[in-house]
Amino acid sequence: MTETGDLTSVPASVVTQIPFLVIFKELTRVFSKDAIGREILGIAFPAALALAADPIASLIDTAYIGRLGAVELAAVGVSIAIFNQASRITIFPIVSVTTSFVAEEDTMEKLKEEEKEAKKNNLVHANTLAVQDSLEKGIASPTSNNMNQPQQTPASDTKSSSGNKANKKGKKNIKSASTAMIIGLILGLVQAIFLIFSSKVLLGVMGVKPNSAVLSPAHKYLTIRSLGAPALLLSLSMQGIFRGFKDTKTPLYATIVADVINIILDPIFIFVLHLGISGAAIAHVISQYFMTLILFTRLASKVNLMPPNFAALQFGKFLKNGGLLLARTIAVTFCQTLAAAMAARLGATPMAAFQICLQVWLTTSLLADGLAVAGQAILACSFAEKDDNKVSSCASRVLQVMSRSSS
């Protein structure tokens, strides 16, 4: 109910006319544990932990490499800047649209199943009423005369039964999932080939001079790290799929396992096997493939990953919507890459300091992205369900929590 002079409950008509006022809707309930609050928290908290886990592991990784010296740390910093720029441009738009597409498609499939079940129940109920009406009137109905005889099941019922068996196994036919994984794998292979054969050129663009001591270790690290690009981009696409299912716990589990493997292998490869900076890159690549294996195993148990018709894959839909996010992603990551290039031009020590500060900043700044993941998944499902009230409630709640957290 709206209280007099209270801006915390804005009428829907006013919100429609002035959309930005949605942030004031139910403002006093920003941290309340109602249904929408619990749903947002249940998705956002594991997502935030998963997003923060990788920078934390990178921070520990940085601590190990820092023991090798400022030159090695600077080499890792400039190499990671190049690798991350390439990864974000290629996959982050795809991950964003994957979450929305999978959430929408999964919701539509659930609505269709509910509609079919409702029609089936109505038909059974109507037949029951007809039989009861016939018995009350004393009329011998075919159903009552053949009650003890086995009834034949129509072919359509047989198909429905087989479909229900597939659903009981937990397999879903989500075309967006297969499309996202194929795109992620292709982009990963392209990125790996591009970075391996152009690493020295890219390092030169970043300000690493040919006679610099940073060039050789940076070239080694970037080349080896690029071998993990297919696994990284494929795992990111699968994380987008799980987020579409509102499942952020599985990506969290896979991320933690991969980071633990990376942290354990780092000192072994760097110090025990004396591989130095190359050992750090090898450890990271191995952890990426472990994460991909975990996500793929879990996803294969829930989704039919390849649709029966290859033409059903929605490449055009992905590329069209992903392209709209590409410019925004480039703008966001360009400043960070430019800062790394400027630091690299100042020398090894400033670049090493920049790498440390960058990892600390990433560890804290990515926490808010968990709310963005929750909002995206819930909004996509609510739009598919045509639940306008939940759409506005979710949007206002996420914006309010972000604004309160940042202040």
Side-chain angles (χ1 to χ4, degrees):
M1 299 298 292
T2 305
E3 296 179 2
T4 305
D6 185 7
L7 291 177
T8 60
S9 297
V10 181
S13 59
V14 177
V15 173
T16 303
Q17 296 173 2
I18 312 177
F20 73 86
L21 288 180
V22 71
I23 195 172
F24 296 109
K25 182 179 179 181
E26 300 176 351
L27 189 58
T28 57
R29 304 179 61 187
V30 58
F31 292 117
S32 63
K33 296 181 181 180
D34 54 1
I36 187 69
R38 290 193 300 270
E39 186 174 9
I40 291 175
L41 181 62
I43 300 174
F45 186 67
L49 291 178
L51 290 168
D54 191 58
I56 291 173
S58 297
L59 192 61
I60 298 174
D61 199 18
T62 301
Y64 283 131
I65 297 172
R67 295 180 179 273
L68 298 175
V71 172
E72 287 77 8
L73 188 57
V76 170
V78 69
S79 300
I80 289 178
I82 295 173
F83 186 86
N84 287 345
Q85 176 72 19
S87 299
R88 289 171 183 173
I89 289 177
T90 50
I91 197 61
F92 275 15
I94 301 300
V95 172
S96 298
V97 296
T98 296
T99 299
S100 298
F101 289 162
V102 170
E104 181 182 7
E105 193 172 347
D106 186 40
T107 302
M108 295 300 295
E109 289 295 324
K110 290 178 181 177
L111 292 175
K112 288 180 182 178
E113 290 295 328
E114 291 176 359
E115 185 178 356
K116 288 180 181 179
E117 191 66 23
K119 289 181 179 179
K120 182 179 179 181
N121 292 336
N122 291 336
L123 182 61
V124 172
H125 183 64
N127 290 336
T128 302
L129 291 177
V131 171
Q132 291 177 352
D133 185 60
S134 299
L135 292 174
E136 290 176 357
K137 293 180 179 180
I139 301 175
S141 65
T143 305
S144 61
N145 290 336
N146 298 322
M147 188 173 297
N148 295 327
Q149 297 180 3
Q151 297 180 357
Q152 296 181 351
T153 304
S156 59
D157 291 343
T158 304
K159 293 180 180 179
S160 176
S161 175
S162 61
N164 291 334
K165 289 180 180 179
N167 290 334
K168 289 180 180 179
K169 293 179 180 179
K171 293 280 188 176
K172 300 179 181 180
N173 292 316
I174 307 295
K175 299 174 184 177
S176 302
S178 299
T179 307
M181 292 181 64
I182 293 174
I183 293 176
L185 181 59
I186 293 174
L187 291 176
L189 293 172
V190 172
Q191 178 179 325
I193 295 172
F194 173 75
L195 291 179
I196 289 173
F197 288 99
S198 62
S199 57
K200 288 188 176 180
V201 176
L202 293 174
L203 289 169
V205 173
M206 291 293 290
V208 180
K209 298 179 181 180
N211 59 349
S212 174
V214 176
L215 180 60
S216 179
H219 174 63
K220 289 181 181 179
Y221 186 88
L222 182 58
T223 302
I224 298 174
R225 181 75 179 267
S226 300
L227 297 175
L232 173 63
L233 271 66
L234 182 57
S235 67
L236 287 173
S237 65
M238 287 190 286
Q239 287 184 46
I241 296 170
F242 278 108
R243 292 172 184 174
F245 293 140
K246 298 182 180 180
D247 178 7
T248 51
K249 294 181 180 179
T250 300
L252 172 61
Y253 168 75
T255 302
I256 291 177
V257 171
D259 288 343
V260 169
I261 291 174
N262 185 28
I263 292 171
I264 293 174
L265 292 180
D266 259 342
I268 296 175
F269 288 151
I270 294 174
F271 304 114
V272 178
L273 300 179
H274 304 288
L275 295 177
I277 196 171
S278 299
I282 294 172
H284 201 91
V285 170
I286 293 175
S287 68
Q288 289 292 341
Y289 278 96
F290 263 100
M291 180 167 65
T292 302
L293 179 62
I294 294 171
L295 290 172
F296 182 82
T297 303
R298 293 292 184 93
L299 189 60
S301 65
K302 299 178 64 175
V303 179
N304 293 318
L305 295 178
M306 284 301 296
N309 185 7
F310 188 81
L313 295 173
Q314 305 168 335
F315 290 113
K317 183 179 178 182
F318 268 76
L319 296 178
K320 178 181 177 181
N321 291 274
L324 297 175
L325 293 172
L326 182 60
R328 182 189 69 85
T329 304
I330 293 176
V332 171
T333 58
F334 177 76
C335 294
Q336 180 180 321
T337 306
L338 180 62
M342 295 298 101
R345 283 175 168 82
L346 296 176
T349 302
M351 185 61 219
F354 174 82
Q355 170 65 7
I356 295 173
C357 295
L358 177 64
Q359 293 303 325
V360 173
W361 176 76
L362 286 174
T363 303
T364 56
S365 65
L366 290 177
L367 295 176
D369 287 352
L371 285 171
V373 171
Q376 186 180 11
I378 296 173
L379 285 174
C381 294
S382 301
F383 274 117
E385 295 170 348
K386 297 181 180 180
D387 191 346
D388 296 336
N389 185 51
K390 190 174 182 179
V391 168
S392 61
S393 297
C394 175
S396 61
R397 188 68 62 87
V398 170
L399 290 172
Q400 290 162 10
V401 173
M402 281 188 174
S403 61
R404 291 289 182 89
S405 300
S406 60
S407 59

